[in-house]
Amino acid sequence: MNRENIRLVALDMDGTITQHRTALEPQNRAALDALAEKYRLVIVGAGACARIHGQLGGYPLDVIGNYGMETGEYDREKGGLTIVESRSVTVEPQEAVRERVTRLRRQFGMETFAGDTVEFHASGMITFPLLGTKADIRDKLAFDPDRSRRRPLYPVVKEAFSQYTVFIGGSSSFDIVPKPFNKLYALERYCARHGFARGEVVFFGDDYREGGNDEQVYHSDFAFVTVDDYRDFPERAAVLL
Ligand SMILES: [Mg+2]
């Protein structure tokens, strides 16, 4: 990465600048403030724009949500996020998805679950929650903290949902996203729309290993700064200051 050329800093949120599903802490907010003085900032996230914007306490930056299916631009005059694009893709009937999930559960020996077996989102994204949609948060967090239970299942889910991109998501689920949406595709489109060349962009992310939702960006030719603990973000950001 040639620091002199950088104009855009793209960031994952959960695990990179915040603890998962947790508000932005003061040290990391200060690091974002320092970056914002020199660069344009954009979040490239897996969740919906409104959730990301809320979790960051309304921090003034653009947000790409749902792996690029949704885009929000920060309005400096009104002081809020305006959704400028919201996509919805239907790949197949829900029944076909349910059948495949049922077959996978049988294969994995995970036929007991709380609530529903699968969650369909308005965007066309699908969540396959191994413990079910209504599982207790404590059970979810305890299920697979190091991903050792989902990693061996990942190739099987990926194969079963080959019309989608599959991610190891959240604490105990798989995120199943219609192609071509992923963070790399999202970032490329944002750059094209706003006139940034590849060499002018750097991405910060924590989930760059196999099945992680930053993996496609990590394996691309965008400059990538790895953040293995969100508390290290100020130190990692300092390379640009
Ligand atoms: Mg992350």
Side-chain angles (χ1 to χ4, degrees), residues 12-16 18 20 147 183 205-207 213-214:
D12 165 58
M13 179 178 67
D14 277 336
T16 298
T18 68
H20 285 260
R147 299 186 168 191
K183 291 191 185 184
D206 72 309
D207 217 353
N213 63 31
D214 302 319

Side-chain angles (χ1 to χ4, degrees), residues 37-203:
E37 283 186 23
K38 302 179 86 168
Y39 311 100
R40 182 170 175 145
L41 308 183
V42 61
I43 300 289
V44 188
C49 288
R51 175 174 88 76
I52 293 170
H53 186 66
Q55 189 173 326
L56 295 178
Y59 195 90
L61 41 62
D62 290 349
V63 178
I64 302 169
N66 292 347
Y67 297 98
M69 302 191 78
E70 193 180 49
T71 307
E73 288 182 0
Y74 191 79
D75 184 330
R76 284 173 194 278
E77 277 168 30
K78 283 191 269 169
L81 202 66
T82 306
I83 303 299
V84 295
E85 187 185 35
S86 182
R87 298 280 300 273
S88 174
V89 177
T90 305
V91 175
E92 60 189 328
Q94 293 191 354
E95 218 30 60
V97 173
R98 272 182 197 284
E99 278 170 25
R100 218 169 309 131
V101 166
T102 301
R103 181 167 56 75
L104 288 171
R105 284 193 181 280
R106 202 175 305 132
Q107 191 177 341
F108 297 159
M110 299 215 55
E111 290 170 277
T112 307
F113 53 87
D116 207 346
T117 184
V118 60
E119 185 177 0
F120 296 96
H121 303 274
S123 60
M125 283 169 50
I126 298 162
T127 304
F128 176 10
L130 288 168
L131 302 180
T133 54
K134 296 260 162 65
D136 189 283
I137 181 72
R138 284 162 299 184
D139 294 339
K140 292 203 284 186
L141 291 174
F143 177 71
D144 190 23
D146 63 359
R147 299 186 168 191
S148 58
R149 298 179 78 166
R150 281 173 294 168
R151 224 172 265 130
L153 311 181
Y154 177 69
V156 185
V157 180
K158 197 173 154 178
E159 170 74 33
F161 286 93
S162 58
Q163 294 162 276
Y164 306 77
T165 306
V166 180
F167 301 99
I168 299 173
S171 50
S172 51
S173 56
F174 292 100
D175 284 347
I176 301 171
V177 182
K179 285 180 179 175
F181 295 95
N182 62 50
K183 291 191 185 184
L184 175 60
Y185 177 75
L187 185 57
E188 284 171 339
R189 285 187 64 224
Y190 185 86
C191 290
R193 186 181 310 160
H194 295 282
F196 293 105
R198 291 241 168 180
E200 296 175 328
V201 183
V202 58
F203 185 93

Side-chain angles (χ1 to χ4, degrees), residues 14-26:
D14 277 336
T16 298
I17 60 169
T18 68
Q19 171 65 292
H20 285 260
R21 303 250 165 184
T22 305
L24 182 64
E25 294 176 14

